[in-house]
Amino acid sequence: AWTVTFAHLTIFMASLLTSTLMSLQVQGIRRHLREQKNQLQNALQQIRQMAMRDELTGLVNRRQMVELMALELRRCERSGRALLLAQLDLDHFKTINDTHGHAAGDLALQAFAQTSVAQLRGGDVLARWGGEEFVLLLSDTEAGATSVLLERLRSAVQAQHVRHADQVIRISVSIGWTQHRQGESLAETLQRADQA
């Protein structure tokens, strides 16, 4: 009887040890899967940001801005509010690049973006449209308030001094804006803003 009891005890201990080791292994696998899930979520968030943001300026990119403008247009059509769009171009940007180099041009774009965003309200969206061109979507804005806001932005940009190496680079911006007309496409509205 003693040998049978010892054999049962040995089998029980071996089973207990095996199940404990398996439990520890499962916990390790679960921990590893949680870490992988977190890494995957972080990577997806970065990919989303890369798909929606301009890498240099941190502003909304053109693709995302097209979606935002279409969404805002539908909201404005339902509510009867005005949709205002502005086209902003950095003046003499090619000269900055040619004279001071592309690194200085990048600094000028970054300085412009930071200065402009600081002048805007929370609901306004500024996007890098391409090169030195930017588009501003203004929501819930009266025409008179738009002129004041854009003049404040233009003045702030003009007061900006971009330092590169031992040089100070002055930047300025030309701005045209318009209100979306019923029945026209967003491309047509942007074209009128660009002409303005």
Side-chain angles (χ1 to χ4, degrees):
W2 184 87
T3 55
V4 172
T5 303
F6 180 75
H8 286 176
L9 188 59
T10 304
I11 292 170
F12 175 75
M13 293 301 287
S15 299
L16 186 62
L17 181 62
T18 302
S19 64
T20 302
L21 290 175
M22 287 177 62
S23 176
L24 290 172
Q25 204 168 21
V26 168
Q27 286 178 358
I29 290 170
R30 284 183 179 159
R31 185 171 45 253
H32 181 68
L33 288 174
R34 269 195 308 273
E35 289 170 3
Q36 282 187 327
K37 182 181 175 185
N38 289 338
Q39 289 173 354
L40 182 60
Q41 286 175 338
N42 290 339
L44 285 172
Q45 184 62 28
Q46 287 178 341
I47 289 169
R48 276 192 210 105
Q49 286 297 317
M50 289 169 59
M52 296 180 347
R53 297 271 171 193
D54 174 62
E55 186 178 357
L56 180 65
T57 62
L59 298 174
V60 171
N61 65 20
R62 185 177 185 141
R63 180 188 308 116
Q64 181 67 16
M65 185 60 148
V66 168
E67 291 178 20
L68 291 173
M69 288 189 302
L71 179 65
E72 187 63 21
L73 178 59
R74 287 193 296 272
R75 283 185 190 146
C76 289
E77 286 172 345
R78 281 194 309 267
S79 67
R81 292 181 294 125
L83 173 67
L84 301 171
L85 295 174
Q87 184 92 27
L88 301 88
D89 294 331
L90 282 183
D91 299 327
H92 314 295
F93 184 72
K94 186 177 182 331
T95 304
I96 293 172
N97 270 342
D98 291 346
T99 305
H100 304 285
H102 290 284
D106 288 351
L107 287 174
L109 290 170
Q110 291 168 337
F112 168 78
Q114 291 170 0
T115 302
S116 298
V117 167
Q119 302 304 314
L120 300 176
R121 302 160 309 160
D124 301 330
V125 181
L126 180 64
R128 185 169 181 203
W129 201 245
E132 73 280 6
E133 296 178 350
F134 298 82
V135 169
L136 177 60
L137 170 64
L138 298 157
S139 56
D140 292 327
T141 308
E142 301 282 328
T146 298
S147 295
V148 171
L149 183 142
L150 293 176
E151 176 55 29
R152 187 176 68 227
L153 186 151
R154 188 201 62 74
S155 296
V157 169
Q158 191 165 344
Q160 181 73 32
H161 295 30
V162 179
R163 299 195 181 283
H164 176 67
D166 293 336
Q167 301 171 343
V168 175
I169 302 166
R170 302 293 300 265
I171 57 175
S172 62
V173 62
S174 297
I175 305 172
W177 68 274
T178 190
Q179 181 174 329
H180 177 75
R181 294 176 184 159
Q182 191 170 8
E184 77 178 351
S185 68
L186 286 169
E188 290 170 327
T189 305
L190 282 171
Q191 182 63 35
R192 287 193 299 106
D194 193 33
Q195 290 169 353

